Every structure is written in structure tokens, then in C-alpha cells.
Amino acid sequence: MNELRLNDENTLPTVGFGTYKAEEQQGIDAVKLALQMGYRLLDTAAKYQNEEAVGKGIKASGIAREEIVVTTKVWRGNLGYEQTKNAFEESLRKLDLTYLDLYLIHWPANEKNFGKDWKKVNAETWRAMEELQAQGKVKSIGVSNFWQEHLEALFETAKVIPAVNQIEFHPGYWQKELTAYCKAKGIRVQGWSPLARGTIFEQEQLKSIAEKHQKTVAQVCLRWCLQQDVIPIPKSTTAKRIIANRAIFDFELSAAEMEQINTIPKMGFSGELPNEWPDRVW
């Protein structure tokens, strides 16, 4: 699997393995299999409540720790300087690791939930992450679900430009302008929900393209992400799909096919927006 260089000179594999909803033994088994099948980028989060399972899966896989890129995220209930430091240590403990490869702010503070202090909350969270990186506890730091307005506010005080912005990215909702902005700033884009919660499987254009290449619709969507220079993070606990989601390096979509997929009408959108949290942060 090829790797892509980040703005901090670290690298990430071109495809990740998502672990959302993969808990307990199911999570352990999925992570173990994914690593044994060649995945090297794991994505979890404190909110997923499966960091312990991910850590156990890593150890059960037999793959050397230094070969694996482990990502987790600080939840929006723990934003702020001290809270972020504490949340990081708790995640590290649950994963049973001595360092992280990538640590992300899961969602930005916003005006709805923090009022006029939202910029300060993000800035203080980021300051804690910069210190964790400087101390060698995490190799790369980044954000998730940050729009341009959140990034520009962060840039006002940040000493380190985020290496990654992980956003919802799939046919029917791929945030074209935000993706272009991140690329212009040297921020690598990762795509969560690259299979659009399964809505892609009934899309006729995608089915036609998949049939032409003798690939699955999922493989076509993941290939489309790669050719958009975005790192997709598909998730599955099914062995057959875990294996199939990596089999996307032996074909290429044409420019016409890419444009077909680009113009698919809005579909599969999660409804989750960074400025529209519920009133309770949990």
C-alpha cells in the first residue's frame, strides 16, 4: 500500500481502517484481521468507546507496533487545554500504547455551544496538542469536521498547521470547496463514511461503473476517493468486506467516470454539521 506525505514529513497509508461501532471481541477480531490483511492505518476515537478493543487487536495481530499508524480523537466533551491533556492520557492508557501516530480534534468548538469563546476553546485545545507533539507523545496532530471558518480561526494562534482534516467524504457529499481549501493549505484530507452509509449500493451510475471494471460499488467509491487524493477510512467487521476494501489498486477510473461520480446528486449525507451540535455535548 502506498503512503502519502503529510506537511510535518510523516506519512499515512493511502487507505485506513475504521473501527466505529466495532466494540469488544468483535472490535478485537476486526482490527486483528485488518492488520493481518495489510491495513496499516487504524482509526478510532474516544467517543467510539472501543480504544481498549483496538489496542488488544493490535497486540493480537502480531504486527510490529512501529509498522502501524494509530489514530484517535479527543471528543467535544473534553475540549480545552487541561481536558485535552487528560483525554489524551486516557486514550493512550486504553489503547495500551506508549505513543500515538495521529491525534485529532473530533469536532470543533462552535458558537452555538461555547458562545463567543469558541475560538479560544479550539485554540487552547490545539495548544495542548502542539505540546503533546513537541513532547514526542504523538507524531502528527490534526482536526476532524473543521470547516474553513474553524481552520482560519485556528490559524490565528496555531504554531503548527494541522496535518490532517478528517471530514465526511463520499459520492453525493464530498465537500468540494472545503477539500480544495485544505489541499491549498497543505492539509491532508481523510474521508469518513466513504460508502455513504450504504446508500451508494443503489446508485445506478455507480453500479454501471462497477460492472464495467468488474469491481464492487464499494471498491469504485474507494478508488474514487484515492483519485481525489483523499484517504478513505472504510469500516467493516465482516472479513470478506475488510479484504475487498483493500483491493482497489489494480484498476483506475477514467476522467469521464470521475466526473460522473463527482456530479451524483446529494445522497448519503449524515446530517452532522460542526456548527449544529445538540445542546448537550454528549
Side-chain angles (χ1 to χ4, degrees):
M1 190 181 292
N2 294 332
E3 294 191 335
L4 298 171
R5 190 162 299 279
L6 303 177
N7 59 21
D8 60 9
E9 298 305 313
N10 291 315
T11 60
L12 292 180
T14 50
V15 177
F17 181 71
T19 64
Y20 178 55
K21 292 187 177 181
E23 300 174 13
E24 300 179 344
Q25 191 61 47
Q26 186 184 56
I28 295 170
D29 293 341
V31 169
K32 176 183 174 181
L33 177 63
L35 290 172
Q36 291 177 339
M37 291 298 104
Y39 288 89
R40 290 295 181 268
L41 170 58
L42 300 177
D43 183 84
T44 185
K47 180 60 174 174
Y48 300 169
Q49 298 183 346
N50 66 358
E51 290 171 315
E52 290 180 343
V54 171
K56 290 176 181 177
I58 291 170
K59 287 181 170 56
S61 73
I63 304 299
R65 167 66 183 98
E66 59 270 19
E67 293 185 25
I68 306 169
V69 177
V70 182
T71 308
T72 194
K73 313 176 191 78
V74 57
W75 184 239
R76 57 196 184 197
N78 289 316
L79 298 179
Y81 179 81
E82 291 295 341
Q83 298 96 314
T84 296
K85 288 286 190 77
N86 293 336
F88 177 87
E89 294 298 338
E90 181 67 5
S91 288
L92 208 59
R93 183 190 67 78
K94 288 182 175 179
L95 286 159
D96 195 17
L97 300 175
T98 58
Y99 69 94
L100 280 177
D101 299 277
L102 179 60
Y103 197 44
L104 307 178
I105 301 176
H106 206 151
W107 290 89
N110 58 40
E111 187 171 2
K112 177 181 178 182
N113 294 85
F114 288 90
K116 294 181 180 179
D117 286 338
W118 72 270
K119 292 184 181 181
K120 181 180 179 181
V121 173
N122 285 332
E124 287 298 288
T125 301
W126 191 248
R127 182 167 71 90
M129 295 175 71
E130 289 177 330
E131 289 184 9
L132 291 168
Q133 184 183 40
Q135 292 164 1
K137 293 184 175 182
V138 58
K139 291 184 177 181
S140 298
I141 55 176
V143 297
S144 182
N145 302 302
F146 271 53
W147 281 349
Q148 181 173 336
E149 64 197 79
H150 308 114
L151 288 167
E152 289 179 345
L154 196 66
F155 295 158
E156 293 175 10
T157 56
K159 297 177 181 177
V160 176
I161 299 297
V164 166
N165 188 12
Q166 186 182 121
I167 62 174
E168 183 172 357
F169 189 97
H170 54 76
Y173 190 78
W174 55 288
Q175 305 194 71
K176 180 180 179 180
E177 292 78 15
L178 176 58
T179 299
Y181 175 81
C182 289
K183 290 179 180 178
K185 294 295 183 180
I187 300 171
R188 181 67 63 182
V189 177
Q190 291 183 329
W192 61 263
S193 193
L195 305 183
R197 289 169 166 72
T199 58
I200 58 168
F201 298 112
E202 300 304 318
Q203 217 288 330
E204 293 302 324
Q205 286 173 294
L206 292 172
K207 289 196 284 187
S208 176
I209 294 170
E211 184 176 351
K212 176 183 174 183
H213 289 278
Q214 296 186 310
K215 288 289 184 177
T216 68
V217 168
Q219 288 168 332
V220 166
C221 289
L222 296 174
R223 181 71 207 183
W224 170 79
C225 290
L226 289 188
Q227 290 183 218
Q228 292 279 13
D229 202 27
V230 169
I231 298 172
I233 307 173
K235 65 180 182 69
S236 180
T237 54
T238 304
K240 183 178 179 181
R241 291 175 184 167
I242 290 173
I243 294 167
N245 287 343
R246 271 199 77 240
I248 57 175
F249 299 97
D250 58 352
F251 75 107
E252 187 170 334
L253 300 172
S254 68
E257 289 168 336
M258 290 292 293
E259 186 58 27
Q260 272 187 290
I261 298 173
N262 289 350
T263 55
I264 288 173
K266 188 174 182 178
M267 68 171 194
F269 172 47
S270 68
E272 297 182 50
L273 297 168
N275 286 332
E276 295 297 328
W277 295 5
D279 291 334
R280 293 178 58 196
V281 295
W282 284 92

